[in-house]
Amino acid sequence: MVQASPQTGRRARRHPANRRLLLAAVLILVGAFLPWLATGAGNVSGVRGAGLWTMYAAVLGLAGAAVRSPRIAALHAAVLAAVALALPLWQVVHVLGLVGFAGWVPGPGLVMTVGGGVLAGSAALALYRDSPPRTQT
C-alpha cells in the first residue's frame, strides 16, 4: 500500500538509505558467487559454504530496498548486515583454526560480502533513526 501525504496527496518517497541497502544487497549477492578463499590448490567459491546463506540474506535485502516503510527496511538491513558480517568472520576463524595463516588469502567474494555487510549496517542505522516513532493507542 502506498501512503499519500495529507497535504499534497502525492506518493511517499523512499528513504535515501534504501539505495545504500540496494547496493549492499547487490554486493553481497555477487560476492556469494565469487571465490571466498584463494589457496595454492585453487579457489573456494562462497556458495560451497557460508556464501549460500549470505546469498539468501541478500535476497531479503533486495526486498527491504523495495519497501517504503523505513522501519521494515531497517529490519531487513539489520538482518542482512548481521548475516553478511558474522558468516565471513566465522569462515576466517574456521580456516585459521584449520591451517593458520599459511597457504591462503581472502578472496574477492569474502571482501565484497564484508563490505556489503558494513554498508547494510549503515543503511539500517540511517533507516531506523529516520523512522517515525510508534504511537501508543
Side-chain angles (χ1 to χ4, degrees), residues 31-50 91 95 104-110:
F33 292 99
L34 293 176
W36 274 33
L37 299 173
T39 67
N43 294 331
V44 179
S45 177
V47 293
R48 292 190 62 206
Q91 183 76 50
V95 171
W104 68 277
V105 294
L110 189 75

Side-chain angles (χ1 to χ4, degrees), residues 4-5 9 18 37 40 43 49 52 62 69 80 90 97 99 104-105 107 119 127 134:
S5 172
N18 278 23
L37 299 173
N43 294 331
L52 188 62
L62 289 173
S69 168
L80 178 61
W90 169 81
V99 296
W104 68 277
V105 294
L119 194 61
L127 285 163
R134 292 185 355 169

